[in-house]
Amino acid sequence: MTGLGLLDQQRSRATRVCFLYIAQPHQVWHSLSIAVAMARAWPEIRVEIAATSAGHLDYIQGMLDGLGGAPITLRLLPPAWLRRLSKNAPPPKALMLALNAGRLAAYDAVVTPERTTALLRKLGVRRTALVYTQHGAGDRGGPFEPRLRVFDLVMAAGPKQRDRMIDEGWVRPEACAMVGYPKFDLVDALPPSATPAFAKALPTVVYNPHFHETLGSWSAFGLSILEQFAADERFNLIFAPHVRLFETASEADRRAVASFEGHPRIHLDLGGPAAFDMTYTRQAHLYLGDVSSQVYEFLRTPKPCLFLNPSHADWTGDESFHHWLYGPVRETANGICDAVSAAIAGHGDFLEVQKTGVAQTFDLTSVPSSQRAARAIVDRLAVLDR
């Protein structure tokens, strides 16, 4: 028997699953392939996508078209006035959830790549299963937190993430599914964005600072790093910070970054599609960053890394900084280009630990991750329906 089987026998109506997007569009990459896999393999399930902006839906529709389509209904969540108040940023997540709790309660499951959706339980949504797909596979401790307990199913990209969530008591074993990394399915199926056209073919560094106010390196080192690369002729630089870093940046910061526009060896992207689809992490020869989970996407193909520790964190032996084992760690940005050169030359010292770390992070098999994730949702719904 294909599809839900047991659920079909127990319900007289079609099962409805909503893939919800209430944050920045980069999160679409972490669950859209699951929606497609479910819609194609379980036609008896009504798969719907709900988003908080028309721009999100246009972006999603373009991706669906690139994948050859799928029987999925797209819905724009109200209210329009909240979108107008939010201007260029996504509407406030908590308020959007509060205003749409009744609509979301009509679904059998809500699948989300972010944790704020756990608020639905406090808003009175009880019967609907909540599924958290994650939106990255990093080490930073923040995502390992109490809201995970609210979800009926939490996905893990690999044993590192699964074991930590279970061992720390955030997720029960029966509510955790290790499914691999569905984003890779999309990345492999869709063409990359256009790569930066640098004037010279030099080794390319991607600088990817996180928005974390203390662990992120932008406020301490960012402008100095851009200035040093602008003056050094050995490297090209892609400045692609986490999309949230410049979402609320000051005009002074924006003007400072804009001064590097048009530089022949520097490409700026403060949150475009190429920053979401791994175009830059695939193109770059070295990753320069701090605590973003994007380092693991970069290391899908092991390559040199260099990490920045602006807060002088005592990180040795702390699993929240495990990725800092994959390259040199610096507490200053002085001489950053020389440090990059040294990291490239010394990559062999970190190659094996990178390979081991990637294997612990991503449990990839011959079955696509998106199919494994869709199956995990279907199986969990069957259990919860008994």
Side-chain angles (χ1 to χ4, degrees), residues 180-257:
Y181 204 57
K183 179 174 179 176
F184 288 157
D185 294 350
L186 278 185
V187 168
D188 293 343
L190 295 173
S193 301
T195 56
F198 292 111
K200 293 183 179 180
L202 301 170
T204 299
V205 175
V206 59
Y207 176 35
N208 173 228
H210 196 266
F211 62 88
H212 194 286
E213 60 184 29
T214 56
L215 299 176
S217 57
W218 169 252
S219 59
F221 302 148
L223 285 178
S224 172
I225 287 172
L226 292 179
E227 290 166 355
Q228 290 180 67
F229 275 96
D232 194 295
E233 298 186 355
R234 289 176 287 178
F235 304 103
N236 292 323
L237 178 72
I238 298 170
F239 178 57
H242 191 290
V243 63
R244 290 181 60 182
L245 180 61
F246 274 80
E247 194 173 67
T248 57
S250 67
E251 285 304 313
D253 267 0
R254 289 185 177 275
R255 285 195 300 270
V257 169

Side-chain angles (χ1 to χ4, degrees), residues 33-306:
S33 63
I34 307 172
V36 172
M38 181 178 289
R40 289 175 176 173
W42 285 271
E44 63 270 38
I45 300 177
R46 288 176 55 185
V47 177
E48 303 180 22
I49 286 173
T52 56
S53 79
H56 275 60
L57 292 182
D58 290 342
Y59 185 56
I60 290 166
Q61 186 62 62
M63 295 170 73
L64 291 175
D65 292 343
L67 294 169
I72 296 175
T73 301
L74 273 59
R75 300 190 183 280
L76 179 62
L77 292 175
W81 62 263
L82 187 54
R83 277 188 287 278
R84 290 193 293 269
L85 288 178
S86 302
K87 297 182 180 179
N88 296 325
K93 293 184 287 187
L95 188 52
M96 262 295 182
L97 289 169
L99 294 172
N100 286 281
R103 292 178 179 83
L104 296 173
Y107 291 97
D108 296 282
V110 170
V111 184
T112 174
E114 51 74 54
R115 299 182 300 282
T116 305
T117 300
L119 180 63
L120 286 176
R121 288 288 184 255
K122 293 184 177 180
L123 294 171
V125 178
R126 303 296 181 206
R127 187 189 64 85
T128 302
L130 300 183
V131 178
Y132 175 45
T133 67
Q134 310 273 355
H135 57 272
D139 304 313
R140 190 169 52 89
F144 297 90
E145 48 108 335
R147 285 181 295 181
L148 295 181
R149 298 191 182 109
V150 173
F151 290 93
D152 299 283
L153 179 66
V154 176
M155 296 182 185
K160 177 194 69 177
Q161 203 173 46
R162 177 201 61 192
D163 294 349
R164 183 172 180 182
M165 288 191 297
I166 293 174
D167 291 348
E168 293 184 0
W170 306 122
V171 179
R172 302 183 312 277
E174 65 272 19
C176 188
M178 188 168 67
V179 299
Y181 204 57
K183 179 174 179 176
F184 288 157
D185 294 350
L186 278 185
V187 168
D188 293 343
L190 295 173
S193 301
T195 56
F198 292 111
K200 293 183 179 180
L202 301 170
T204 299
V205 175
V206 59
Y207 176 35
N208 173 228
H210 196 266
F211 62 88
H212 194 286
E213 60 184 29
T214 56
L215 299 176
S217 57
W218 169 252
S219 59
F221 302 148
L223 285 178
S224 172
I225 287 172
L226 292 179
E227 290 166 355
Q228 290 180 67
F229 275 96
D232 194 295
E233 298 186 355
R234 289 176 287 178
F235 304 103
N236 292 323
L237 178 72
I238 298 170
F239 178 57
H242 191 290
V243 63
R244 290 181 60 182
L245 180 61
F246 274 80
E247 194 173 67
T248 57
S250 67
E251 285 304 313
D253 267 0
R254 289 185 177 275
R255 285 195 300 270
V257 169
S259 68
F260 296 93
E261 287 279 5
H263 192 286
R265 295 188 307 279
I266 294 179
H267 176 79
L268 308 175
D269 189 333
L270 305 185
F276 308 155
D277 65 12
M278 293 178 54
T279 292
Y280 299 142
T281 52
R282 283 181 283 180
Q283 179 186 10
H285 300 91
L286 179 138
Y287 179 92
L288 176 63
D290 35 64
V291 293
S292 174
S293 65
Q294 284 190 51
V295 65
Y296 282 103
E297 295 177 3
F298 174 82
L299 288 173
R300 189 183 186 190
T301 300
K303 292 178 287 187
C305 296
L306 178 62

Side-chain angles (χ1 to χ4, degrees), residues 33-34 37 179-182 184-186 188 363-375:
S33 63
I34 307 172
V179 299
Y181 204 57
F184 288 157
D185 294 350
L186 278 185
D188 293 343
D363 179 58
L364 304 177
T365 71
S366 60
V367 179
S369 298
S370 53
Q371 293 180 19
R372 295 165 65 190
R375 165 59 71 183

Side-chain angles (χ1 to χ4, degrees), residues 313-327:
D314 182 13
W315 63 273
T316 305
D318 187 336
E319 59 185 326
S320 292
F321 298 93
H322 187 83
H323 57 289
W324 284 3
L325 297 175
Y326 305 149

Side-chain angles (χ1 to χ4, degrees), residues 334-352:
N334 296 338
I336 194 67
C337 293
D338 287 339
V340 165
S341 182
I344 292 173
H347 178 231
D349 295 339
F350 300 94
L351 182 58
E352 290 307 314

